[in-house]
Amino acid sequence: LIGEVQKQRDCLGSTATEQQLAFYKAVEIVYQAAIDLSERFSRHAEEIIPMFPEHEQRLRSVAAVCRRVPAKAPRTFHEALQFSWLMHELIEMEGEAVRSMGHLDRVLYSYYRRDIDDGRITRDQAKELLKFFWIKYHSRTRGQGNGKNFVFGGQHPDGSIMANDLTYAALEAYEELNTPDPKLSVRFLPDTPDKLYRRAADLIRKGHNSFVLMNDVPAVEAQVKRGKTREDARMYLPIGCYEPATDGKEAGCTMNIEINIAKTLELALHDGIDPLSGQQIGPHTGDPRSFENFEQMFDAFTGQLDFLLFSTIEYVGVHERHWPEINPSPLLAGTIHDCISRGKDIGEGGALYNGVGCVGIGLANTADSLSAIKQAVFDERRFSMAELLTATGKDFIGHEPMRQYLLNHVGKWGNNDTQADTMAKRVADYYCAKVHTFTNARGGPVQAALFTLMTQWTMGKLTGAMPDGRKCRTSLAPGVGPALGRDLNGVTGLIGSVGKLDFTETPNGSVLDVMLHPTAVSGEAGLDAM
């Protein structure tokens, strides 16, 4: 990589800008420092052998590996793991959280296979090395973080299926290690071997369940729709939690923007005023008590959503433009395709792809509330808009019969109910299409997502009572799933609803959490069902 920097600088010659020259110099400095640091580790391991003679063989092995990497390319499984760990540590010291540790069974397979075939290590020794590697992540978090993400399965750039002996050896090591960190992601396609499906499912039902299961078909297509080549899209990694980004070619800022979609409906019900604070947050979209039909209500909702998206994306863009000044990232940038050839840091848009994620929260609450307004206020005229606003303003205190009607007699998202699902799809389609009209400050796309992590609680605390019957400051719905306790038609009803969404329009990821009782997945029949 240092050689690539020097070559590129020589090619530019006198045309190189001062900024490019500074970037190249910074990359050289930090990479040489990484080499020097590893050589110090090597010397230290040798120096302490007299203090720990019982560990002489182990210390000499450590010394040899650190003398090799990262100065030179790794040749063995041990060297590749050491290189990976050192780069992880240094990138996080530089100021970036390493949110993906890569496609383990693709990147490391050649080292694993060659070591075993040449007799350097056994399969069990490879698993032991992997456990030493992984326990370092758990020792940092004790399971309290989001989990360090390693991905398995999926496909090669040419579309051929990815699954090999390292895939299964790693899953065995994970089961034996029995820690919640790292977190493993498994990418699936229709042609993925049943063996991998069953292995992952068996681990999950046994409680080794720090897993994210990803559907490659819409995930890849969503990337292609946003301008990536199909080959690059097939090389995606789940960043942090669930968000796809192209391996080695993308500076994926996948959670820069988080939008409380339910809050935009609450603003629409109060002409842009936040009823919890009394502040005029959104634009004036009209007093809903004067609306003559549901379409006027929906237009007010989209008007508030448009405003919140525009203002938030602009706000984030102002900060984004200061990224190169605040946190230059030469160590990370030098590993990303095109940063070296362009002489640009990642914050300057040096990567080939420069997406920003826009995460939508509260889909179910929004859709269920709009359904309730349409049915109870405009179609049935059971309640007036004034009555509904009075009830939500009082958190339904003194209006429990109305709340019970809204909860139990209006179809809810997550039950394969046609009317409820049509509303949820309408909200999701509008949100995604609007998000995709924006460009971020690095010249890349703003990309839609629908998931929550913990924001269903944090944003729920900032959201008042809703027409779906939800009480003030309680949790919003998780991911693309239903409001809590509202899915009454089982897992097939749930999937029937969620499957109607177009997930090729959420290139930044979407999440459905599925809860299954252990008795439903016990035994071979249970594994088949899962």
Side-chain angles (χ1 to χ4, degrees):
L1 287 170
I2 292 173
E4 286 293 315
V5 165
Q6 294 168 342
K7 177 182 175 182
Q8 190 61 35
R9 183 171 50 208
D10 292 343
C11 287
L12 290 173
S14 60
T15 65
T17 66
E18 185 177 342
Q19 184 71 10
Q20 286 175 314
L21 292 174
F23 171 71
Y24 290 140
K25 184 63 175 175
V27 174
E28 283 186 291
I29 289 170
V30 295
Y31 284 179
Q32 188 57 54
I35 292 169
D36 293 345
L37 177 63
S38 195
E39 288 177 348
R40 284 170 54 198
F41 288 149
S42 176
R43 290 196 300 272
H44 181 66
E46 291 177 328
E47 288 166 359
I48 63 174
I49 288 173
M51 299 168 58
F52 303 99
E54 70 276 21
H55 296 303
E56 179 177 358
Q57 183 179 358
R58 182 172 298 184
L59 289 168
R60 291 198 184 281
S61 176
V62 169
V65 169
C66 290
R67 200 158 44 243
R68 172 75 188 183
V69 297
K72 297 180 175 64
R75 299 163 300 183
T76 67
F77 191 56
H78 189 175
E79 289 174 355
L81 291 172
Q82 179 62 48
F83 198 132
S84 181
W85 171 251
L86 181 64
M87 288 300 291
H88 170 273
E89 292 296 279
L90 295 179
I91 290 169
E92 294 214 330
M93 286 180 194
E94 186 181 57
E96 297 84 36
V98 177
R99 299 175 61 225
S100 173
M101 287 303 297
H103 205 158
L104 188 143
D105 50 356
R106 174 176 57 80
V107 174
L108 296 181
Y109 180 67
S110 62
Y111 305 102
Y112 167 86
R113 184 77 271 154
R114 190 163 53 242
D115 276 6
I116 290 178
D117 289 348
D118 292 348
R120 274 189 292 273
I121 59 174
T122 65
R123 190 174 185 275
D124 283 343
Q125 286 171 329
K127 284 167 52 181
E128 195 72 5
L129 282 169
L130 196 53
K131 289 180 198 176
F132 275 117
F133 180 58
W134 276 348
I135 200 65
K136 293 176 181 292
Y137 300 101
H138 177 68
S139 67
R140 290 283 183 84
T141 66
R142 298 296 197 275
Q144 294 181 54
N146 288 331
K148 195 64 65 172
N149 202 326
F150 291 82
V151 65
F152 297 85
Q155 56 193 309
H156 294 280
D158 64 2
S160 57
I161 297 300
M162 165 66 66
N164 53 50
D165 188 52
L166 180 56
T167 310
Y168 300 104
L171 293 179
E172 290 170 23
Y174 175 74
E175 181 175 25
E176 293 163 11
L177 194 61
N178 196 25
T179 60
D181 194 352
K183 172 171 61 183
L184 306 190
S185 295
V186 184
R187 293 170 42 184
F188 290 110
L189 292 112
D191 293 334
T192 295
D194 284 351
K195 179 182 178 182
L196 183 53
Y197 276 104
R198 296 179 70 83
R199 188 69 179 102
D202 191 40
L203 284 168
I204 291 168
R205 69 174 181 169
K206 288 177 178 177
H208 307 283
N209 54 10
S210 294
F211 270 93
V212 172
L213 308 179
M214 306 190 73
N215 184 350
D216 257 29
V217 176
V220 169
E221 195 60 37
Q223 307 299 302
V224 173
K225 277 189 173 184
R226 302 267 66 84
K228 294 177 181 174
T229 68
R230 191 164 296 277
E231 290 75 16
D232 284 348
R234 288 168 176 157
M235 293 281 282
Y236 81 85
L237 305 171
I239 298 295
C241 300
Y242 338 96
E243 311 98 272
T246 301
D247 186 11
K249 296 186 178 182
E250 183 164 8
C253 301
T254 59
M255 287 188 64
N256 275 22
I257 305 162
E258 295 175 303
I259 296 291
N260 184 344
I261 304 175
K263 189 72 180 182
T264 64
L265 176 58
E266 186 181 20
L267 295 176
L269 288 167
H270 297 87
D271 195 22
I273 295 173
D274 174 16
L276 297 186
S277 68
Q279 292 180 306
Q280 183 81 37
I281 292 177
H284 292 287
T285 49
D287 182 347
R289 286 168 289 208
S290 68
F291 293 165
E292 296 180 357
N293 55 60
F294 175 74
E295 290 308 311
Q296 289 179 292
M297 183 71 252
F298 196 85
D299 287 346
F301 158 65
T302 56
Q304 297 292 339
L305 181 57
D306 289 355
F307 171 80
L308 196 62
L309 284 169
F310 175 80
S311 56
T312 307
I313 290 167
E314 283 289 300
Y315 179 81
V316 169
V318 170
H319 288 72
E320 201 172 14
R321 282 184 276 274
H322 290 289
W323 181 0
E325 305 161 24
I326 294 168
N327 191 43
S329 313
L331 191 85
L332 179 57
T335 71
I336 302 292
H337 288 269
D338 288 19
C339 284
I340 290 180
S341 62
R342 295 174 177 177
K344 284 186 173 184
D345 205 341
I346 54 172
E348 299 173 298
L352 179 60
Y353 303 117
N354 294 283
V356 160
C358 184
V359 183
I361 291 113
L363 172 65
N365 306 100
T366 308
D368 290 349
S369 293
L370 286 167
S371 292
I373 293 169
K374 183 178 186 300
Q375 177 180 318
V377 175
F378 291 105
D379 294 348
E380 297 176 349
R381 301 199 178 275
R382 179 176 293 270
F383 312 114
S384 69
M385 184 67 79
E387 289 171 333
L388 181 63
L389 293 177
T390 298
T392 55
K394 293 181 178 179
D395 200 18
F396 292 105
I397 295 173
H399 300 270
E400 190 60 24
M402 178 194 290
R403 179 170 177 265
Q404 289 302 317
Y405 181 85
L406 297 172
L407 283 172
N408 299 304
H409 295 279
V410 177
K412 295 292 188 291
W413 170 247
N415 294 285
N416 207 17
D417 178 277
T418 300
Q419 289 185 334
D421 297 353
T422 299
M423 187 65 74
K425 180 168 171 53
R426 185 179 182 185
V427 171
D429 286 350
Y430 183 90
Y431 165 77
C432 293
K434 188 64 181 181
V435 168
H436 294 150
T437 65
F438 295 99
T439 300
N440 67 56
R442 289 174 291 131
V446 179
Q447 302 187 134
L450 292 166
F451 59 80
T452 53
L453 293 181
M454 297 175 289
T455 48
Q456 70 262 37
W457 296 299
T458 57
M459 289 191 171
K461 290 178 180 178
L462 302 173
T463 308
M466 298 287 290
D468 63 346
R470 175 190 155 276
K471 297 278 278 184
C472 179
R473 299 188 189 277
T474 57
S475 179
L476 297 171
V480 294
L484 300 175
R486 295 297 99 199
D487 52 328
L488 305 177
N489 287 345
V491 68
T492 51
L494 171 61
I495 293 173
S497 286
V498 177
K500 294 170 186 172
L501 298 181
D502 183 358
F503 291 108
T504 69
E505 290 297 324
T506 55
N508 198 60
S510 290
V511 178
L512 175 65
D513 293 317
V514 178
M515 314 298 177
L516 298 171
H517 195 277
T519 58
V521 295
S522 61
E524 283 301 301
L527 189 59
D528 289 339
M530 191 173 176

